[in-house]
Amino acid sequence: MVTAESEFGPVLIEADAITKSFGGAVAVDNVSISVRAGEIYGLVGENGAGKSTLMRVLAGILSPDQGEVRVDGKPVQPGARAAISAGISLVHQELSLVPEMTVAENILLGSFPTKVGFTEYRKLRQIAADALAEIGVGVDLDERVGRLSVALRQFVEIARAVAKKPRILIFDEPTATLTPAETDYLLAMLRRLADGGMAIIYISHRIPEIFSTCSTVAILRDGKLVRSSSIDSLTPSQVVDQMVGRELGLDLATKRTATPGAVVLDAQGITAPKVNNVSVQVRSGEIVGLGGLVGAGRSELVRAIIGADDRTAGSVTLTHNGETITIGSYQSAVRNGVAYVPEERRIDGLALSMSVEDNIRLPNRKELSVAGFKVGSKTAQVAQLLADKVGLRPPEIRRDVGEYSGGNQQKVVLAKWLGRRPKFIVLDEPTRGVDVGAKAEIHRLVKEIADQGTAVLIVSSDLPELLELSDTIHVMRDGHVTGTLSKEEASEKSVMSLASGETIVRSS
């Protein structure tokens, strides 16, 4: 339950007339907000609206071109050290943990306690244990982070921020990789921290979370603050409309009637780590969804199908224009018309320090070269066409991908594969961390790809998304398919029943 405004303490942190530009693009334009002790302050906006840039300014990672940050009414000098000293800590959307280090070492990363030049490991473990206890999470301090689930890594990242003893804690899309139960736990944890007097700024694209947790919401659009008001004075539809500057209405759920053709992808008896004897077929023009809880084996299945990971048993064939090819490796899959949009776009899908143009060129080098040499004009023309097709904003193909928001980065991943005109495309969590407007655009793109005859296999933990896009849904649990649902049979209840083991329906 959201706390009444009268119960909050004094203003802890203020952003006063913050402006920040990158080159000629204004990311944050004269934005002012203030957050009080004990308050959970929601910040929403489309990808590219300036939310993460504003938060990085508050956390001292970026210096503002104009304006200042104040804590307790006193200016905070730019720089991460000054922000931490002032009590500001940021939990990034993209995890920044070191997989080969332990939980305790990651929580104190960059600030190991030392004595005469040597790390005090007993003290390090105690500080880490206290941080985990404060957020109510139990995990082995000596476990390597790389062996943890995505959810536990997220909580370790939060413990790392809490270990700095902040008074102001900023969360950037913390529930993007969590299950509903894990999300509920995290939101309850935020309320406990706020009840202890902490000021919390909460960025999320999940509007129900904002309404269940925050007392105030600020809406950014194109770098400007368009509204800041009590959550009680707004409805979810009003927030969405003001985020995108237009009424989305039925655009979020445009209807599609599928007319699948011949089988394109035929995967039989796939066995791999966390996958046990699973068979999947996808037809031309068909969207097949994989549902299930985190850890069910969905990502492992699609990676084994396309050869990105080894499989211990099973076969995969791709059929197009009457020709059938056996897929034995990822290289052969790509060479024969398979595209893959991975779950971790920043790690597996993009070269962040390269431009949009160069990222689009990577899987299309042969088509965009003559005698092995890059043809600049042709590459730029194709890249611009694809950037426009996916709705990249702004459509600046020579801009580094790392400077774009998460939703725009996902559009670049789609653009680079669309350039190959794939016969079969795998989309693993295609709209994770993506705002409502960009999600609608990506959904339309996926439907358009299928309507043009491409076979589509999609993994999504977002049940409304899975139900909207899929013509058929295979639900997985513990590496097995527990049931197959047609579009008419599928509902949130039926998918969750199969995913949780409440119901088992063997496909015929």
Side-chain angles (χ1 to χ4, degrees):
M1 184 173 178
V2 176
T3 305
E5 290 189 19
S6 59
E7 297 180 23
F8 299 131
V11 170
L12 275 188
I13 185 168
E14 301 167 272
D16 185 13
I18 301 296
T19 296
K20 180 64 181 178
S21 300
F22 298 97
V26 180
V28 178
D29 189 356
N30 193 34
V31 172
S32 298
I33 64 171
S34 62
V35 187
R36 293 166 293 175
E39 182 179 19
I40 303 179
Y41 187 100
L43 186 64
V44 300
E46 290 192 273
N47 286 109
K51 306 183 303 296
S52 294
T53 299
L54 178 61
M55 293 305 101
R56 288 199 290 268
V57 169
L58 293 184
I61 298 167
L62 297 173
S63 298
D65 300 331
Q66 296 177 27
E68 69 176 8
V69 177
R70 294 191 292 268
V71 172
D72 292 329
K74 300 175 183 178
V76 179
Q77 296 300 314
R81 287 180 182 273
I84 291 170
S85 297
I88 305 169
S89 195
L90 170 63
V91 179
H92 295 270
Q93 178 180 354
E94 306 293 342
L95 303 184
S96 56
L97 305 175
V98 180
E100 294 307 313
M101 297 180 74
T102 67
V103 168
E105 289 168 337
N106 269 282
I107 290 174
L108 275 294
L109 196 62
S111 56
F112 282 10
T114 59
K115 188 174 183 179
V116 294
F118 293 94
T119 299
E120 295 184 275
Y121 278 99
R122 182 176 295 179
K123 187 174 181 180
L124 180 147
R125 288 170 54 82
Q126 186 59 57
I127 295 172
D130 290 345
L132 287 167
E134 186 167 355
I135 66 172
V137 173
V139 59
D140 185 352
L141 294 172
D142 298 317
E143 181 64 273
R144 303 286 174 185
V145 162
R147 297 171 63 105
L148 300 179
S149 68
V150 173
L152 280 177
R153 290 182 205 177
Q154 179 69 72
F155 285 113
V156 170
E157 185 84 32
I158 294 169
R160 181 180 170 190
V162 168
K164 297 180 175 71
K165 300 295 182 183
R167 300 171 65 210
I168 301 107
L169 194 51
I170 303 168
F171 289 87
D172 191 354
E173 292 288 345
T175 62
T177 59
L178 303 184
T179 65
E182 292 160 349
T183 294
D184 290 343
Y185 187 89
L186 184 142
L187 296 179
M189 179 198 77
L190 295 192
R191 296 183 193 108
R192 290 197 306 271
L193 294 174
D195 288 343
M198 192 177 292
I200 294 176
I201 302 175
Y202 188 74
I203 299 175
S204 180
H205 291 129
R206 298 179 176 180
I207 303 302
E209 292 177 11
I210 295 293
F211 275 79
S212 70
T213 308
C214 303
S215 60
T216 304
V217 61
I219 304 169
L220 294 184
R221 186 172 72 238
D222 298 330
K224 297 179 183 293
L225 180 66
V226 296
R227 183 165 183 175
S228 178
S229 59
S230 166
I231 200 75
D232 295 332
S233 66
L234 290 165
T235 65
S237 62
Q238 287 174 329
V239 170
V240 172
D241 289 345
Q242 293 192 30
M243 280 171 55
V244 301
R246 62 191 185 278
E247 291 188 13
L248 287 176
L250 293 176
D251 286 346
L252 283 171
T254 52
K255 297 187 181 301
R256 169 180 174 269
T257 302
T259 53
V263 172
V264 173
L265 182 283
D266 188 8
Q268 294 295 321
I270 302 300
T271 301
K274 297 187 179 180
V275 181
N276 299 300
N277 192 30
V278 175
S279 298
V280 175
Q281 288 187 332
V282 189
R283 299 175 180 274
S284 169
E286 181 182 29
I287 302 175
V288 172
L290 291 177
L293 301 175
V294 173
R298 298 166 302 164
S299 295
E300 289 83 358
L301 171 62
V302 297
R303 288 180 63 85
I305 285 174
I306 64 175
D309 291 337
D310 292 337
R311 50 181 181 261
T312 55
S315 63
V316 179
T317 59
L318 196 71
T319 302
H320 183 68
N321 289 337
E323 182 182 4
T324 298
I325 298 163
T326 299
I327 301 299
S329 67
Y330 183 58
Q331 289 75 17
S332 69
V334 172
R335 190 166 54 246
N336 288 289
V338 174
Y340 173 46
V341 176
E343 179 180 13
E344 296 290 346
R345 58 177 172 261
R346 292 173 65 91
I347 297 172
D348 300 324
L350 294 166
L352 297 176
S353 61
M354 293 173 63
S355 68
V356 171
E357 178 181 348
D358 286 338
N359 270 272
I360 289 175
R361 180 177 177 269
L362 284 174
N364 299 288
R365 292 187 297 274
K366 184 176 180 181
E367 293 78 3
L368 298 175
S369 302
V370 174
F373 293 96
K374 172 183 173 181
V375 179
S377 59
K378 184 178 181 181
T379 301
Q381 182 182 23
V382 170
Q384 193 66 64
L385 285 171
L386 290 170
D388 293 340
K389 180 179 178 64
V390 299
L392 185 68
R393 292 199 302 269
E396 299 173 1
I397 61 171
R398 289 186 171 82
R399 185 174 177 179
D400 285 354
V401 170
E403 295 179 6
Y404 277 98
S405 63
N408 278 299
Q409 289 177 4
Q410 189 73 328
K411 290 177 183 179
V412 175
V413 181
L414 281 167
K416 75 176 191 178
W417 288 114
L418 292 183
R420 294 187 63 83
R421 298 180 181 175
K423 306 174 184 69
F424 170 61
I425 185 168
V426 173
L427 305 165
D428 195 349
E429 303 289 0
T431 61
R432 174 173 289 168
V434 168
D435 66 75
V436 65
K439 178 180 285 191
E441 292 174 351
I442 290 172
H443 284 187
R444 283 193 288 270
L445 274 170
V446 173
K447 293 170 183 176
E448 181 182 317
I449 292 166
D451 287 342
Q452 292 172 350
T454 301
V456 180
L457 181 60
I458 181 172
V459 174
S460 181
S461 300
D462 183 334
L463 275 177
E465 172 174 83
L466 193 70
L467 294 169
E468 179 190 339
L469 293 177
S470 305
D471 303 312
T472 300
I473 297 175
H474 300 299
V475 184
M476 293 188 68
R477 180 173 180 266
D478 296 333
H480 297 276
V481 171
T482 56
T484 298
L485 302 168
S486 67
K487 198 172 189 70
E488 293 71 29
E489 297 169 325
S491 66
E492 292 195 23
K493 182 178 180 180
S494 62
V495 172
M496 286 306 299
S497 294
L498 290 166
S500 63
E502 179 183 334
T503 305
I504 298 179
V505 180
R506 298 294 181 191
S507 55
S508 57

